[in-house]
Amino acid sequence: MKVRRLAAACAALALLIPMGTANAAPRFTNYVALGDSYTSAPFVPLPDLLSLGCARSYSNYPKQVAAMLHVQRFTDVSCGGADTTNMTQPQSTIIGTAAPQFDALTPDTDLVTLGIGGNDFGVFGDIVGTCPDLRASDPTGVPCKAHFTVNGVDTLREKIKQTQIRIAIVVQGIRARSPKATVVLVGYPKIAPEHGTCPSILPFADGDYSYLYSIEQELNAAVAGAAAAGGATYVDTFTPSTGHDACAPDGQAWIQGKDINLLRALNYHPRFEGQAGVASLTFKTLTGAPAVVTAAEQSAWASQARKLSRQAATSKAVQASLNRVRTSAQR
């Protein structure tokens, strides 16, 4: 039932793609998706209950891309909390151990998407785990930026420089294992707006919004740089997600704010609309279509998000799983 629902959803999304673009779609037979939680999509309905440790969703962008491209074989090993080391090393999750993601690669893999980098050296976790608590000390200032600046050096930016090296090595590893593959590195969509604030959703000090924005720019530049170094394709999701950050109105926002919504998304992570947006941008990049988001697409994604949330709310299996998550969180 869930597979049929996903196929129907992707078919509806495909109708929004220009006809000429769909005809130009490249043919892939063996697609492998690698990545972290921005790829696995925790709590985006409908969840793949067999992957609870990695928190993959049946609606994440790799599954949507696979449906759009009509691939013959598709393997999604993305896992929440993964960093570049988990490409070649096992990853501990809340209910077990995930195999190294590179184990999914084979010599006949001809498409690989990779969304990674935010967890390396704890950059993403440091920001969301530290900055909101600093707002009270200086609500209109830049306490987060000050915290991570030591002796005039921005420690997060220094970590991101090292992350780029790591991602470049990952690309080399993919090419060694799957030499025929088209390798696609997927960037991160905007979390904070370029201008303005929304402290009830993103509880950062006013001045730190621009800091968060710049750090994410830096991270995406690192991903793009690693792609260029390895001859891979880079999908820019940052620029096209303008107006779809966490501060955007419901139905427009791609990113969940500070509060976890068990029927929408993990906090500070993409909602269904964000996953659909990234899928569309990835497909358009692969087919050479303009990588832009249309109002019609956004409206369709918002409608589908509401539908999937209602389905999740009435699914006994999903509710039982979410109840276990709630119980674990309260312990």
Side-chain angles (χ1 to χ4, degrees):
M1 176 61 72
K2 292 173 183 174
V3 174
R4 290 199 296 272
R5 288 172 179 166
L6 174 62
C10 291
L13 293 175
L15 294 176
L16 297 173
I17 300 172
M19 292 299 294
T21 301
N23 293 333
R27 301 182 69 87
F28 296 106
T29 59
N30 186 355
Y31 168 24
V32 175
L34 314 173
D36 58 23
S37 56
Y38 266 59
T39 302
S40 67
F43 299 136
V44 172
L46 295 166
D48 177 356
L49 301 180
L50 297 179
S51 73
L52 261 182
C54 285
R56 284 191 291 271
S57 167
Y58 278 114
S59 302
N60 67 5
Y61 76 77
K63 293 181 178 65
Q64 295 187 46
V65 169
M68 291 174 182
L69 292 172
H70 304 289
V71 296
Q72 295 178 17
R73 284 186 290 165
F74 169 62
T75 306
D76 181 4
V77 290
S78 60
C79 194
D83 63 22
T84 54
T85 66
N86 299 122
M87 299 301 104
T88 57
Q89 299 175 21
Q91 178 184 349
S92 296
T93 75
I94 58 173
I95 61 170
T97 300
Q101 293 190 28
F102 273 3
D103 285 4
L105 299 174
T106 61
D108 65 341
T109 298
D110 56 2
L111 175 63
V112 178
T113 59
L114 171 68
I116 206 74
N119 292 325
D120 280 73
F121 304 105
V123 169
F124 185 79
D126 284 347
I127 291 174
V128 300
T130 302
C131 299
D133 292 337
L134 296 176
R135 174 179 166 80
S137 67
D138 188 6
T140 61
V142 288
C144 180
K145 181 178 181 179
H147 176 84
F148 289 111
T149 302
V150 179
N151 296 324
V153 176
D154 189 319
T155 57
L156 294 184
R157 294 181 191 278
E158 291 301 307
K159 290 178 179 179
I160 290 172
K161 291 178 183 178
Q162 297 303 309
T163 297
Q164 179 170 339
I165 296 172
R166 284 187 170 190
I167 299 173
I169 293 172
V170 169
V171 174
Q172 293 174 1
I174 294 171
R175 294 212 176 280
R177 292 163 176 80
S178 303
K180 299 178 182 178
T182 295
V183 182
V184 179
L185 270 59
V186 180
Y188 293 87
K190 288 180 181 176
I191 300 172
E194 186 173 7
H195 304 290
T197 64
C198 59
S200 64
I201 297 173
L202 289 180
F204 290 71
D206 292 356
D208 279 328
Y209 277 75
S210 60
Y211 180 62
L212 172 59
Y213 190 92
S214 69
I215 288 296
E216 197 177 2
Q217 279 184 311
E218 195 88 7
L219 177 58
N220 278 309
V223 176
T233 298
Y234 173 65
V235 177
D236 176 15
T237 69
F238 189 82
T239 303
S241 61
T242 298
H244 302 293
D245 53 79
C247 291
D250 191 45
Q252 292 294 319
W254 287 11
I255 304 295
Q256 181 70 16
K258 65 180 178 62
D259 298 319
I260 297 174
N261 187 325
L262 297 178
L263 298 176
R264 294 294 309 271
L266 186 63
N267 54 336
Y268 302 111
H269 280 72
R271 298 172 172 180
F272 173 82
E273 295 94 326
Q275 291 294 320
V278 172
S280 175
L281 292 167
T282 301
F283 181 83
K284 289 173 182 177
T285 299
L286 284 169
T287 58
V292 296
V293 174
T294 69
E297 284 178 311
Q298 184 63 39
S299 177
W301 300 335
S303 176
Q304 185 66 20
R306 291 190 293 269
K307 180 179 178 181
L308 288 172
S309 291
R310 289 194 297 269
Q311 290 175 353
T314 58
S315 167
K316 292 182 180 180
V318 171
Q319 283 301 313
S321 175
L322 295 180
N323 286 335
R324 287 196 295 271
V325 172
R326 293 187 186 98
T327 301
S328 298
Q330 292 168 356
R331 289 175 180 170

